[in-house]
Amino acid sequence: DVKVTQSSRYLVKRTGEKVFLECVQDMDHENMFWYRQDPGLGLRLIYFSYDVKMKEKGDIPEGYSVSREKKERFSLILESASTNQTSMYLCASSSYISSYNEQFFGPGTRLTVL
Amino acid sequence: KNEVEQSPQNLTAQEGEFITINCSYSVGISALHWLQQHPGGGIVSLFMLSSGKKKHGRLIATINIQEKHSSLHITASHPRDSAVYICAVRQGAQKLVFGQGTRLTINP
């Protein structure tokens, strides 16, 4: 079974803090994704990575950066958290090998920025 | 206008009812996914469709490529089916574009 884990289920931070969200997958997947999910807007892609040290901007990258130093780990960084970054953050991974191209999701991190 | 539109946004029904959730999209796609999200956040994949119809247990998913429309049906609905159902279309190899989700509540 594919397992995607995220470092925290709930996180509360203050405006201006630097925030790290960690995601780890154990199935040797090439592709990893960070989404945020907001009521009425659905999931929106922040960044994705198709290989170690590679990254591509998604639809809403402003205010975020990412790091992928190892294949299994994809980190989302909020350099200076703001209240409008309060959201549910979901990580996912997928493999090119599977023709199904299914994305496997982590449990999510609910981030509140005060 | 969103590229992927779901309807209804909220649906409440009684146990045993037949449920239909609709998804319309306006872009070219390589496949369409139906996902389920339970309270607490975890998302699981239910179906991936590129044509026709698929069935898994009480769930049925159909897609009409010409009309750019898909439906998810639940037969003999049960309270444990209560969740948010999300339609997502795949553009290219990996990128998914998501609908806003349909919150389904099944009352006993």
Side-chain angles (χ1 to χ4, degrees):
Chain A
D1 263 2
V2 175
K3 194 166 182 184
V4 180
T5 56
Q6 295 183 227
S7 49
S8 306
R9 292 301 303 273
Y10 299 93
L11 207 52
V12 179
K13 295 292 182 180
R14 297 210 172 271
T15 301
E17 281 192 77
K18 190 169 186 175
V19 182
F20 293 87
L21 302 182
E22 301 282 336
C23 175
V24 178
Q25 50 94 5
D26 66 359
M27 280 301 288
D28 203 36
H29 282 174
E30 301 87 6
N31 308 305
M32 296 187 76
F33 307 83
W34 274 108
Y35 298 96
R36 64 177 282 175
Q37 184 180 31
D38 300 288
L41 297 177
L43 278 84
R44 293 178 292 166
L45 181 64
I46 305 171
Y47 269 96
F48 68 100
S49 168
Y50 51 87
D51 201 353
V52 176
K53 297 192 187 295
M54 305 300 287
K55 61 185 179 185
E56 293 278 344
K57 291 181 180 179
D59 299 316
I60 50 164
E62 296 79 18
Y64 303 95
S65 62
V66 290
S67 172
R68 192 158 180 210
E69 297 296 318
K70 293 185 177 181
K71 191 175 185 180
E72 68 271 18
R73 188 179 298 269
F74 191 35
S75 302
L76 180 69
I77 303 154
L78 288 65
E79 294 287 342
S80 178
S82 64
T83 55
N84 63 13
Q85 292 178 310
T86 292
S87 187
M88 169 72 92
Y89 290 87
L90 289 147
C91 174
S93 72
S94 71
S95 173
Y96 288 122
I97 295 173
S98 167
S99 59
Y100 187 70
N101 276 337
E102 179 181 0
Q103 290 191 16
F104 295 86
F105 287 84
T109 296
R110 189 168 293 282
L111 172 67
T112 302
V113 183
L114 301 175
Chain B
K1 190 180 189 304
N2 293 334
E3 292 175 318
V4 182
E5 293 275 356
Q6 287 184 236
S7 63
Q9 291 194 23
N10 293 282
L11 179 57
T12 300
Q14 291 299 121
E15 183 173 356
E17 286 189 43
F18 181 80
I19 303 298
T20 296
I21 299 170
N22 296 299
C23 176
S24 297
Y25 54 92
S26 58
V27 294
I29 69 170
S30 53
L32 182 144
H33 297 254
W34 281 102
L35 310 166
Q36 182 190 57
Q37 184 177 29
H38 276 286
I43 294 176
V44 295
S45 180
L46 297 174
F47 294 103
M48 188 277 289
L49 295 161
S50 53
S51 65
K53 177 179 174 178
K54 286 191 176 179
K55 185 176 189 291
H56 186 259
R58 295 180 294 106
L59 273 61
I60 303 164
T62 63
I63 188 168
N64 185 318
I65 298 293
Q66 287 72 30
E67 294 186 5
K68 295 189 174 182
H69 182 269
S70 176
S71 293
L72 177 69
H73 305 286
I74 305 174
T75 61
S77 59
H78 190 276
R80 65 174 175 266
D81 297 324
S82 297
V84 175
Y85 292 84
I86 302 169
C87 170
V89 298
R90 179 145 49 89
Q91 296 184 294
Q94 293 294 329
K95 186 182 176 186
L96 293 179
V97 179
F98 297 82
Q100 71 271 55
T102 295
R103 183 174 300 276
L104 174 66
T105 303
I106 304 295
N107 293 318

